[in-house]
Amino acid sequence: MASISDSLSSTWVVHQPSGDMFVSIQLAWLSGFSPIITTTSFHNTEFLSSPGATHVLDHMLSTTPLKDAIVKITPTPITLAFDAISLPDTQQIAHDIVTAAATVITMGIPQVENENENGVVQQVFGDFRPPPNHELGLSYVHARLDT
């Protein structure tokens, strides 16, 4: 079973645009993931490159063209994907682009069947505003500003 710590310094794929996407790209960059591939409208390329996205692909690509574009960027199998939108179709694409023992992280309730018997689908929720998380959030912001 893949874990986030097993995937460090490997590929991080973020699918579809959202406010959570910006933060997830920044956290992936701070954690040492490379390359960081995201999908969005091309007019958002500069915006998503600033927190650390190394490659921006068209969010309208279906699964096969998206896989082909990712293989051109990196031959490394995708073991971790983050779906910031978490609709059934975006979750399905995340499942389709990862390897069998991969981790798919979703912001919403998992809505697709996990067909990868050794894979993991994990729903996450994070917020730096509550007092217990505030110091951690500030440390990420300061780390990014110091680089």
Side-chain angles (χ1 to χ4, degrees):
M1 173 183 330
S3 71
I4 290 176
S5 61
D6 294 336
S7 301
L8 289 177
S9 300
S10 67
T11 303
W12 177 267
V13 176
V14 185
H15 189 60
Q16 294 285 346
S18 77
D20 297 316
M21 175 194 264
F22 188 90
V23 173
S24 69
I25 290 170
Q26 188 173 40
L27 293 176
W29 180 82
L30 289 168
S31 297
F33 285 89
S34 182
I36 300 171
I37 305 167
T38 187
T39 62
T40 191
S41 299
F42 285 124
H43 71 269
N44 290 321
T45 299
E46 186 176 332
F47 175 71
L48 294 177
S49 295
S50 68
T54 57
H55 299 83
V56 177
L57 303 174
D58 184 358
H59 70 104
M60 298 302 286
L61 291 174
S62 61
T63 301
T64 300
L66 182 59
K67 281 182 171 180
D68 293 344
I70 291 171
V71 167
K72 288 178 183 175
I73 294 167
T74 179
T76 305
I78 306 301
T79 58
L80 183 61
F82 177 78
D83 180 13
I85 299 298
S86 303
L87 296 172
D89 60 329
T90 62
Q91 287 184 21
Q92 188 63 57
I93 290 172
H95 281 274
D96 292 345
I97 65 170
V98 297
T99 61
T103 300
V104 174
I105 301 170
T106 177
M107 293 292 293
I109 296 169
Q111 299 180 44
V112 295
E113 185 74 25
N114 182 15
E115 297 174 5
N116 301 329
E117 69 180 59
N118 295 323
V120 175
V121 178
Q122 184 65 53
Q123 179 185 4
V124 295
F125 172 78
D127 189 345
F128 289 137
R129 291 175 289 186
N133 300 342
H134 191 72
E135 187 175 334
L136 175 65
L138 286 175
S139 71
Y140 279 117
V141 170
H142 290 300
R144 179 68 176 154
L145 293 175
D146 291 340
T147 60

